Amino acid sequence: MAQDATVESRRPHTARRRRGGWRQWGPGLLLISPSLILVGVFVYGLIGSNIYTSFQDNHSAAQLAGNQPIKFVSFDNFITLFSNPDFQHSLKNLVFFTVAFLVGTMVIGFLWAWLMERPIRGEGFFRSVFLFPMAVSFIASGVVWRWLLNPGTDTSATGLNRLFQMIGLDFLQNKWTASENWAIMAIALAAIWQLSGYVMALFLAGFRGVSEDLREASKVDGANGWQTYRHIIFPQLTPVALSAVIIIAHMSLKSFDLIISITNQTWYPTKVPAIDMYNFMTVNDYSMAAAVGTILLVIVAVFVIPYLIHDSRENRR
């Protein structure tokens, strides 16, 4: 009987706690519920629909219109893609582009930030100049870079080749996007120009976030300028560098507008999976397009998920 009385006495307290919990988090949940619904439907719902389509044989306009049946074919679309030499070429281009884009933006952005990390005269002007390319759309910059990377030489030289010709550096003239082996690297050059300023801003914020007390303490301990940077400041920039790598790698994997504005969707040397997805869509091959999109999603997840796990663990410490 005593035990029953204890249980009965606890029930009102539990009920009050539940009501208090709802009053605490209920209004916030109602406030963000429209966003949760929209994200659930138009992000995760469409991702799920895309993955489902990639397992079907929806390869024609007739099937899309419902005039022909659509069957579930499991991983056949993925097997077909990975065994296709054209798609293998696209993946290889994507690797080259990502590596060049990532290394170029990280090195140039870091050096710019390092040069400006101590306040200098005219810093606002230089920072604006370095950040300006980021404000230009990829399509607009792609049109300009299409002219700059014109493969014409000698009397037909324009853009960079004409500049090299005028200053007596003819040996630097290049086929640029017309080169079968190095065309994708020429595209990476344009991408590096556009986003190096963004990486500079990230590193500059990291430099400015290092406490002056740490710098002074290193001087008291007898460290010179290079030792202070190497052992004190650079290690503090590791989270910034990791964030920059994730952002730039993520952007490079989805590159489409810059490439298609400099060359076009049919130019084989600069073809990447995002271009393949667009080409499949133009011929109503929705299942193959969805399969390419799913592959890109998995590649992006390989980069992003470990970063999110690492960031979550760091925040718990």
Side-chain angles (χ1 to χ4, degrees):
M1 294 293 292
Q3 183 177 3
D4 293 342
T6 302
V7 171
E8 290 295 330
S9 65
R10 287 178 180 174
R11 284 178 181 173
H13 176 70
T14 303
R16 286 195 302 271
R17 187 170 58 185
R18 288 176 180 174
R19 287 196 297 270
W22 167 252
R23 290 173 183 172
Q24 182 178 3
W25 54 262
L29 180 62
L30 290 176
L31 182 65
I32 66 173
S33 59
S35 297
L36 292 176
I37 294 171
L38 291 174
V39 169
V41 173
F42 293 103
V43 177
Y44 296 103
L46 293 180
I47 288 175
S49 176
N50 181 84
I51 294 174
Y52 180 72
T53 302
S54 68
F55 290 112
Q56 297 178 324
D57 67 341
N58 188 357
H59 303 301
S60 65
Q63 289 175 303
L64 183 64
N67 297 325
Q68 292 182 1
I70 298 175
K71 296 181 296 184
F72 186 81
V73 294
S74 188
F75 290 94
D76 288 359
N77 293 325
F78 298 95
I79 295 173
T80 300
L81 277 175
F82 284 113
S83 61
N84 188 338
D86 287 347
F87 188 70
Q88 294 173 7
H89 171 76
S90 297
L91 289 175
K92 183 179 71 173
N93 275 350
L94 181 62
V95 172
F96 289 155
F97 177 79
T98 299
V99 171
F101 185 26
L102 188 59
V103 172
T105 52
M106 292 295 292
V107 171
I108 295 176
F110 175 78
L111 291 177
W112 282 349
W114 193 5
L115 290 173
M116 294 198 304
E117 71 102 1
R118 306 303 290 178
I120 60 174
R121 182 175 296 178
E123 177 189 336
F125 169 76
F126 290 111
R127 190 167 61 238
S128 299
V129 169
F130 293 150
L131 286 173
F132 172 74
M134 187 182 136
V136 181
S137 71
F138 281 115
I139 293 295
S141 66
V143 172
V144 177
W145 277 99
R146 185 170 190 165
W147 175 78
L148 289 173
L149 299 176
N150 189 291
T153 57
D154 299 327
T155 57
S156 61
T158 61
L160 291 179
N161 284 345
R162 176 58 178 164
L163 174 63
F164 295 146
Q165 190 180 68
M166 291 173 62
I167 61 179
L169 299 177
D170 298 56
F171 65 94
L172 291 178
Q173 290 186 349
N174 201 291
K175 292 182 179 180
W176 303 114
T177 55
S179 171
E180 292 187 9
N181 296 322
W182 299 102
I184 194 65
M185 306 302 282
I187 303 292
L189 182 65
I192 291 169
W193 170 83
Q194 187 136 12
L195 283 175
S196 292
Y198 175 69
V199 175
M200 178 212 68
L202 293 178
F203 276 117
L204 189 58
F207 275 118
R208 299 285 169 81
V210 177
S211 173
E212 286 293 331
D213 293 338
L214 291 176
R215 298 175 187 263
E216 294 298 328
S218 67
K219 292 180 181 179
V220 171
D221 290 339
N224 58 32
W226 168 245
Q227 290 173 332
T228 300
Y229 277 108
R230 180 181 177 186
H231 299 290
I232 303 297
I233 299 177
F234 289 165
Q236 300 288 322
L237 300 178
T238 301
V240 176
L242 182 59
S243 299
V245 167
I246 295 299
I247 293 170
I248 296 301
H250 171 258
M251 294 182 68
S252 68
L253 292 173
K254 302 188 300 180
S255 294
F256 172 80
D257 41 2
L258 181 64
I259 297 174
I260 207 169
S261 59
I262 294 178
T263 55
N264 57 60
Q265 72 271 24
T266 63
W267 187 237
Y268 185 76
T270 58
K271 204 161 63 70
V272 293
I275 301 292
D276 286 328
M277 183 167 58
Y278 175 80
N279 289 338
F280 282 128
M281 289 287 291
T282 57
V283 295
N284 297 310
D285 194 342
Y286 281 78
S287 287
M288 295 302 285
V292 175
T294 301
I295 292 171
L296 288 176
L297 176 65
V298 171
I299 296 175
V300 170
V302 168
F303 280 95
V304 174
I305 292 177
Y307 168 74
L308 295 177
I309 294 174
H310 171 78
D311 188 59
S312 176
R313 289 176 177 173
E314 289 294 324
N315 289 335
R316 290 176 183 175
R317 293 179 181 177

